[in-house]
Amino acid sequence: MDAAILLGSFIALILLRVPVAYALGLATLIGAWWIEIPLHAVMIQIAGGVNKFSLLAIPFFVLAGAIMAEGGMARRLVAFAGVLVGFVRGGLSLVNITASTFFGAISGSSLADTASVGSVLIPEMEKKGYPREFSTAVTVSGSVQALLTPPSHNSVIYSLAAGGTVSIAALFVAGIGPGLLLSATMATLCLLFARKRNYPKGEVIPLRQALQICVEALWGLMTMVIILGGILSGVFTATESAAVAVVWAFFVTMFIYRDYKWSELPKMLHRTVRTLSIVMILIAFAASFGYIMTLMQIPSKITTAFLTLSDNRYVILMCVNFMLLVLGTLMDMAPLILILTPILLPVVTSFGVDPVHFGMIMLVNLGIGLITPPVGAVLFVGAAIGKVSIENTVKALLPFYIALFAVLMAVTYIPAISLWLPSVVL
């Protein structure tokens, strides 16, 4: 009955179109009232939910991504990707995937990836003869890998939701394998389409121009080296790397590239703070929601329910995957990570699944949800930038959904994809 009151009130509030963060907070208050927990105990949990040093990584990485997205770095990375793969048949679609791989490893955000790369490449691909729906689908699906590769702030949120027991550095390194696998799968699919539909070849860029493009892009690519190199060498922590990334992004944007006006900085900071205020409110209320769930013993009850369903780890993982895929189409990623991690992590770890591995499974699942209707935020942004209807975008995305599901199955059932690199370098 306790679980029905807490979860039922949350679902009812969502159906009434109350914002997710406030629905979590109100459902927590209802649950606390039901089990007669003093409200000041809930307030302590809300304050404690955001009073964590590791959370500083989120505003810094979001700010760094915003500076890079608006400061001309995306355009230069697109040009650099063109040097590498733009000359083959279907080259612009490969440029799209490659640019998303580079920019995602710098911004850590699928939305920023889609907006930045898409605004440059979708019109260019259409000009060269690619259908606009296909161009939009490539951009949207390619951006999912940004959620996996460092500096993914969703990895930080997962670490927080896991109670801080999972290393952020381990999650960052673990995301490299699944992220590269996803990019390689998308690139292979693009090559098959290019051959089948006879998409145009790109031109080989002259050596002098190619060298100039590479030098300009190198400043942006150094962000990846600074973040990962600093963490792996022990120079700074994952949280401190976020602050370093902001300083570097600001330096490159304002003093090297000099494409961004100083007068635009206050507006960008205002947009970033607005985004972060929503995220931090969500994290605070999710902490109190998880506290009430623990008092009601909901995680242990769900673990018991799964154990009665099957004692086979592979069956349980498949059930968890389908649950995450369905829920990912109905809710945004951050609240689902915060709500479901405390529930599902004890279930999968009881079957011997590594928490870092499960983090990658969850990120891939919910990343697919971001490009799937009816609540796919990245899908909507991509369709708006591509000026294509949601229906036509989804239709063009169908083969990409199949490829993404294949990547999900590989990440789920081949733990080495996620765990081999952390075991080597950490």
Side-chain angles (χ1 to χ4, degrees):
M1 186 62 182
D2 292 346
I5 293 294
L6 181 67
L7 300 178
S9 59
F10 174 69
I11 293 169
L13 289 165
I14 292 293
L15 293 176
L16 290 172
R17 297 189 177 181
V18 176
V20 173
Y22 299 121
L24 280 171
L26 291 171
T28 299
L29 292 176
I30 294 170
W33 168 79
W34 177 257
I35 61 175
E36 299 181 349
I37 295 296
L39 291 185
H40 69 264
V42 176
M43 298 305 138
I44 290 171
Q45 293 298 320
I46 290 173
V50 290
N51 188 24
K52 292 181 172 66
F53 175 74
S54 59
L55 276 179
L56 286 172
I58 296 176
F60 283 130
F61 277 137
V62 171
L63 178 58
I67 295 172
M68 296 169 197
E70 299 182 26
M73 198 172 288
R75 177 169 52 81
R76 288 169 172 85
L77 290 175
V78 167
F80 177 63
V83 171
L84 297 180
V85 295
F87 54 88
V88 302
R89 184 168 299 283
L92 271 183
S93 60
L94 293 184
V95 169
N96 196 317
I97 297 296
T98 307
S100 287
T101 302
F102 288 138
F103 190 73
I106 292 172
S107 70
S109 167
S110 286
L111 280 172
D113 194 327
T114 298
S116 302
V117 175
S119 60
V120 176
L121 274 177
I122 292 175
E124 185 66 22
M125 289 177 72
E126 184 185 32
K127 192 186 302 181
K128 297 294 184 181
Y130 295 81
R132 187 170 277 267
E133 293 83 359
F134 174 77
S135 306
T136 304
V138 171
T139 305
V140 168
S141 59
S143 70
V144 174
Q145 59 79 35
L147 303 167
L148 303 168
T149 50
S152 167
H153 58 264
N154 288 289
S155 293
V156 180
I157 294 174
Y158 172 78
S159 174
L160 169 73
T165 58
V166 184
S167 163
I168 296 174
L171 290 168
F172 278 3
V173 177
I176 294 174
L180 292 177
L181 174 63
L182 192 151
S183 297
T185 304
M186 295 297 104
T188 302
L189 189 59
C190 288
L191 285 173
L192 292 174
F193 276 122
R195 183 181 294 272
K196 181 179 179 182
R197 299 174 182 177
N198 199 31
Y199 287 146
K201 276 188 176 182
E203 297 178 359
V204 177
I205 298 174
L207 179 60
R208 192 172 202 174
Q209 185 182 348
L211 288 174
Q212 182 181 353
I213 290 170
C214 292
V215 169
E216 287 193 358
L218 187 62
W219 293 101
L221 293 172
M222 278 297 296
T223 310
M224 293 186 289
V225 178
I226 290 170
I227 292 172
L228 269 182
I231 294 171
L232 298 179
S233 64
V235 174
F236 41 71
T237 66
T239 303
E240 291 164 348
S241 74
V244 174
V246 171
V247 174
W248 178 255
F250 180 80
F251 170 73
V252 171
T253 298
M254 305 308 296
F255 296 101
I256 303 297
Y257 292 157
R258 289 186 281 185
D259 288 348
Y260 201 70
K261 296 179 181 177
W262 287 87
S263 59
E264 294 293 320
L265 276 176
K267 295 178 183 177
M268 183 189 67
L269 290 171
H270 179 256
R271 288 193 297 271
T272 303
V273 170
R274 285 186 62 184
T275 301
L276 287 170
S277 64
I278 297 169
V279 173
M280 300 310 282
I281 290 170
L282 178 62
I283 290 171
F285 285 147
S288 61
F289 188 82
Y291 169 68
I292 298 299
M293 280 199 304
T294 303
L295 292 179
M296 292 179 172
Q297 298 183 333
I298 292 175
S300 61
K301 291 174 182 175
I302 291 177
T303 301
T304 303
F306 269 103
L307 288 170
T308 58
L309 181 67
S310 174
D311 59 357
N312 187 303
R313 176 169 65 177
Y314 302 109
V315 173
I316 294 299
L317 283 174
M318 184 59 73
C319 293
V320 169
N321 272 323
F322 279 117
M323 179 196 300
L324 290 172
L325 283 172
V326 171
L327 292 175
T329 66
L330 302 174
M331 281 181 64
D332 204 4
M333 188 171 193
L336 279 175
I337 293 174
L338 291 164
I339 294 168
L340 294 178
T341 301
I343 296 174
L344 295 177
L345 190 57
V347 175
V348 296
T349 52
S350 68
F351 285 91
V353 177
D354 188 281
V356 173
H357 178 210
F358 182 64
M360 295 303 106
I361 294 172
M362 180 171 271
L363 291 180
V364 176
N365 267 296
L366 301 183
I368 295 172
L370 286 178
I371 64 170
T372 309
V375 192
V378 175
L379 171 65
F380 295 149
V381 169
I385 290 172
K387 298 178 182 177
V388 181
S389 69
I390 298 295
E391 293 80 4
N392 288 339
T393 304
V394 171
K395 186 177 179 181
L397 273 168
L398 290 177
F400 292 93
Y401 287 138
I402 296 170
L404 285 167
F405 185 76
V407 171
L408 172 61
M409 291 297 99
V411 171
T412 299
Y413 294 115
I414 309 175
I417 294 174
S418 304
L419 300 180
W420 177 77
L421 198 55
S423 70
V424 171
V425 301
L426 294 180

